[in-house]
Amino acid sequence: MNKMTKMTSGLALLVFGTSVNATQLIYTPVNPNFGGSYLNGSYLLSNASAQNKHTGGSSYVPPTALERLASSLESRLMSQLFNDAANGGEGYLKTDDFEIQVVNEDGSLLVHITDVLTGETTIIEVGGLVDSSTGAG
């Protein structure tokens, strides 16, 4: 054996001959929402703000008082229409967007909805209503 081989084998013996100590890996969360330090909050928020590509505000425009009143009245009329139909009557309601006809046929509530703009019609049938005129209950 030459001198270089002896040195390499001695170095390998020294490296592999020593004992290796390992420790357990412990995960520490960064985000304060998941148990991380609350001091990381401002750092994470500033990073998120720097990455935010959305500009401008929201496109939501709150309804006016008149629009809220009209919506409330439509909702009330629809409720009354369905209550009347469930009690054996029928009804019709026309709004800016829809025509709604509700009919009670032998305990089955039929709702005909027609889109005024497109003419598309949808029929919804709800069964299980008891006709109040039969006296069943």
Side-chain angles (χ1 to χ4, degrees):
M1 280 190 170
N2 65 18
K3 188 174 183 181
M4 189 61 141
T5 307
K6 286 182 185 179
M7 188 182 295
T8 305
S9 12
L11 183 61
L13 184 60
L14 179 65
V15 169
F16 294 116
T18 61
S19 64
V20 177
N21 293 328
T23 60
Q24 184 178 5
L25 294 175
I26 299 175
Y27 171 73
T28 305
V30 175
N31 192 331
N33 291 329
F34 301 108
S37 171
Y38 68 93
L39 298 174
N40 293 335
S42 61
Y43 169 75
L44 292 173
L45 181 61
S46 66
N47 277 345
S49 296
Q51 295 175 18
N52 186 4
K53 294 181 182 177
H54 297 286
T55 58
S58 172
S59 62
Y60 173 73
V61 177
T64 64
L66 185 59
E67 290 171 336
R68 287 193 316 265
L69 177 63
S71 176
S72 177
L73 287 174
E74 278 184 13
S75 176
R76 179 69 181 120
L77 287 171
M78 289 293 297
S79 177
Q80 186 62 44
L81 181 68
F82 287 121
N83 283 334
D84 290 347
N87 292 326
E90 62 181 55
Y92 175 81
L93 177 66
K94 183 173 182 178
T95 65
D96 291 338
D97 301 318
F98 299 103
E99 289 182 14
I100 302 165
Q101 181 179 9
V102 182
V103 180
N104 186 345
E105 290 184 358
D106 299 326
S108 200
L109 189 65
L110 293 176
V111 183
H112 298 266
I113 304 170
T114 304
D115 188 336
V116 174
L117 300 176
T118 64
E120 182 179 346
T121 301
T122 302
I123 299 174
I124 301 171
E125 181 176 351
V126 180
L129 295 178
V130 177
D131 188 8
S132 61
S133 64
T134 62

